[in-house]
Amino acid sequence: VIITLAPAFARYMAIAIPMPLVEPVIRALLPDKSTQSMLLSYHMKLYFGGSFDPVHVGHLLVARDVLEALGFQKIVFLPAFQAPIKRPHEASPEDRRRMLELALKEPFFEVSDLEIKRGGISYTVDTARELYSTLGERPFLLVGADSFLSLHVWKEPVELLRLARFVVADREGKAKLIK
């Protein structure tokens, strides 16, 4: 997987620096042990939404590759209650959540039922709004380049760009189209 951060979208995306590279800098710059401890215990999460109907090895490989390449400490899978651009799912929301739980055996993967609990159509902007409110900062969202290229047709795309930061994973060479 090639992770591409397009220059034109730089203010909406970010590169995470692996904690082993950051830790010595934090310790050198911040003499206060409590501030060091707070910063070093922070677990940066990346949220990966989708229908996951079914979850497959491609989902897991992209998530692991992005985690390793960008230094996120957790990938949180967010199965949609009902994806807005897909026909009704084959499996129920609860079955898809359970499939994810069975597939995700790594300690750096977790499943959230945020969108399932909310019900209805799972618009990314609604999830970003809820995460922003909960976290107090813009969440990182993982999307494929093909999905990012259609962002203009998503619900409230300008608001979504204000609320969240995107990590775009290339699929099938689509990232070269993002300028």
Side-chain angles (χ1 to χ4, degrees):
V1 174
I2 299 168
I3 305 347
T4 305
L5 299 177
F9 293 100
R11 70 180 181 174
Y12 304 115
M13 301 180 210
I15 297 175
I17 302 170
M19 189 54 82
L21 299 177
V22 174
E23 187 173 345
V25 175
I26 289 173
R27 292 196 191 284
L29 294 177
L30 301 170
D32 176 26
K33 296 284 186 202
S34 64
T35 305
Q36 287 179 11
S37 177
M38 179 191 67
L39 287 173
L40 295 173
S41 67
Y42 174 71
H43 296 291
M44 193 162 33
K45 293 181 178 182
L46 176 64
Y47 296 88
F48 186 8
S51 58
F52 304 110
D53 190 20
V55 62
H56 55 74
V57 71
H59 295 124
L60 306 179
L61 291 174
V62 166
R64 192 196 63 223
D65 287 352
V66 169
L67 179 124
E68 290 174 359
L70 298 182
F72 285 96
Q73 295 187 355
K74 288 254 185 212
I75 303 280
V76 180
F77 288 74
L78 292 161
F81 183 83
Q82 175 58 54
I85 59 171
K86 296 200 176 182
R87 64 186 185 284
H89 301 294
E90 297 291 325
S92 73
E94 279 303 318
D95 286 345
R96 289 181 286 112
R97 181 193 57 78
R98 185 71 186 123
M99 281 190 281
L100 276 166
E101 288 173 347
L102 291 170
L104 304 176
K105 297 299 182 193
E106 304 293 341
F108 43 79
F109 289 156
E110 65 183 62
V111 180
S112 169
D113 61 359
L114 178 87
E115 292 186 348
I116 292 172
K117 282 183 180 175
R118 191 171 56 234
I121 296 177
S122 299
Y123 292 107
T124 304
V125 70
D126 296 333
T127 302
R129 193 174 284 120
E130 193 167 341
L131 290 171
Y132 182 85
S133 175
T134 302
L135 301 170
E137 65 180 24
R138 295 165 61 209
F140 290 95
L141 304 178
L142 174 61
V143 297
D146 55 333
S147 294
F148 193 76
L149 287 168
S150 69
L151 192 69
H152 64 286
V153 299
W154 292 19
K155 180 182 176 187
E156 299 179 54
V158 174
E159 178 69 357
L160 181 55
L161 289 172
R162 187 188 71 75
L163 291 169
R165 295 172 280 188
F166 286 86
V167 174
V168 179
D170 195 10
R171 292 198 293 198
E172 303 159 10
K174 299 285 186 187
K176 66 183 173 206
L177 300 175
I178 302 173
K179 304 230 187 260

